[in-house]
Amino acid sequence: MSQSNRNPGPQVLQVTASGRYAGSVTRTLAEHFVTTLRRHHPEARLHERDVANGLPFVDADWIGANFTPAEQRSAAQRAILAESDALVRELMEARIIVIAAPVYNFSIPASLKAWIDLVARAGLTFRYSDQGPVGLLTGKKAYVVLASGGTPIGSDIDFASGYLRHVLGFIGIDDVTLIAADRLGQQAGDAVDSAEHQIAQAVAALAQAA
């Protein structure tokens, strides 16, 4: 089969949020995930979105622009929404989403919350119905890579994993796999080894389902 006739590989969106670069466990594990995935899907196309340097927060001008019908928006309003539009487009185009997030103070980094606020948009990634909100980004698979210093993932003091699972489901991405390297302060090596094993299992399952 010629290159031009081959089906393109899955589009992968990698979202990283750690404020650390050197020595970041979530960044290292996300790279490991993508590398492992590409062994099974060498044709996979990767788009990286690093939110650690910050994104605009939702403010009055953004809200006004967002709730103005698209055909009625001014040039200034379109400019205000341009970055949000780009983030939404990345999500729409991706079939596989890898979100790598450290647990900061029992929850997610503010930069990742800003990303969520910019992609959760009525009419684009979800809509309201008589039965309540309906997510529009269906048919996607998400992997959430989490690392914590002391917070056990899945415990009563973990406000990161449940929130991320919920908000992804809210926009239609309900096939979510959590990969945790938690309590690094007590079990650093074991936690990373466990996360790498989880990644191997997750990618093997994805390859088998393909």
Side-chain angles (χ1 to χ4, degrees), residues 13 15 87-88 90-99 115 119 125-126 134-144 163-177:
L13 173 62
V15 181
L87 297 175
V88 168
E90 291 169 1
L91 262 179
M92 288 179 170
E93 292 173 353
R95 198 184 87 189
I96 298 169
I97 299 102
V98 181
I99 298 176
W115 177 80
V119 299
T125 57
F126 73 95
V134 177
L136 301 177
L137 302 185
T138 57
K140 302 179 186 298
K141 175 70 178 166
Y143 298 88
V144 176
Y163 172 70
L164 288 171
R165 186 187 289 277
H166 177 80
V167 79
L168 287 168
F170 178 75
I171 59 176
I173 306 170
D174 53 14
D175 189 353
V176 180
T177 298

Side-chain angles (χ1 to χ4, degrees), residues 62-78:
W62 190 95
I63 293 170
N66 185 49
F67 286 98
T68 298
E71 66 278 6
Q72 297 177 21
R73 287 173 189 152
S74 66
Q77 287 177 319
R78 290 194 296 273

